[in-house]
Amino acid sequence: MQDFASTALFVLVYLAFIIASRHGWERKAIGLFPQRDERHEARIAFLRIRDGVEQYLFVQTITGLMVASLSFVAMAAVGLHDALFWAFLIFLAVYIPVAGGVFAGCAPPLFALVQFDGYGRAVILFAALQLIGVVIGNVVYPRMQGRSLNLDPVMILLSLAFWSAIWGLTGAFLSTPLTVMAMVILAQFDGSRWIAVILSADGDPQQLKNKRPNEPPDEKLPSPAKNRIAKLAKLTGRRAKSS
């Protein structure tokens, strides 16, 4: 548990420094991409990566605090020892897709079996933690996250296994942000766009290239057809008024 907590804190500090260094990207982009068009496309891709990763970390932090707080109340209610420490571990575990939720819902009840005589409190705690996970995971989390990541759920699970095999626990924490970065970068090139299509949830990673700078990830640009229809409607309305 100590190794898990120390690794998680190290990863969070590392992510904080990465986010803090994003402000120098535009100055670096001028040197990396002398052509204005290339620099504009690179900037849009970088902003998409930044928005996706920041949104992911923000949502994971808020939902992690909610899960940890409610879990602490449930654990304190049944009298589990070190409830605050368990709540802290649950908060860190939320950053790991899939496996973090399993840990948060199963580890404290297992220790409750060791602490208490009988199975009553452990079963109550297990039911409470599962209820917390289901409500936040299926109601709160989707509303906050929306479509900003555009990652296929199966790909999230496979990316967790892939990055965990390469970097262990650190890879598990960074699996989703790294996959978001890979999908956005791969979508920029014709030869690798098919990989981005597989990673995406809706099969349309091209929308990542069509984002305006600083546009929220969930919003799509209006299609050219919609723009033409809107202009035609406005023109028709003006002519009707003039006649």
Side-chain angles (χ1 to χ4, degrees), residues 161-216:
F162 175 76
W163 293 111
S164 298
I166 294 178
W167 287 339
L169 187 58
T170 304
F173 278 97
L174 298 176
S175 61
T176 300
L178 289 173
T179 306
V180 171
M181 295 179 187
M183 182 179 66
V184 175
I185 294 173
L186 292 172
Q188 311 305 311
F189 307 99
D190 295 333
S192 60
R193 190 167 295 121
W194 64 274
I195 304 177
V197 171
I198 295 176
L199 292 175
S200 64
D202 57 5
D204 186 20
Q206 277 300 102
Q207 61 176 309
L208 305 181
K209 292 185 64 177
N210 298 329
K211 295 290 182 182
R212 292 192 296 264
N214 298 323
E215 181 185 2

Side-chain angles (χ1 to χ4, degrees), residues 6-80:
S6 61
T7 302
L9 288 175
F10 172 77
V11 172
L12 293 179
V13 171
Y14 185 63
L15 284 174
F17 275 97
I18 291 177
I19 294 175
S21 65
R22 73 185 188 276
H23 297 290
W25 164 254
E26 293 188 12
R27 294 191 299 270
K28 296 178 182 179
I30 296 176
L32 290 172
F33 304 97
Q35 300 296 327
R36 178 176 297 179
D37 294 338
E38 295 180 354
R39 184 165 63 247
H40 180 68
E41 290 187 4
R43 182 170 178 266
I44 291 177
F46 171 79
L47 290 174
R48 177 63 181 87
I49 293 174
R50 186 198 68 181
D51 293 341
V53 172
E54 288 183 353
Q55 174 74 1
Y56 169 77
L57 293 177
F58 172 77
V59 173
Q60 294 299 111
T61 301
I62 298 300
T63 55
L65 289 173
M66 295 172 63
V67 172
S69 301
L70 295 175
S71 300
F72 172 77
V73 173
M75 290 183 291
V78 299
L80 185 69

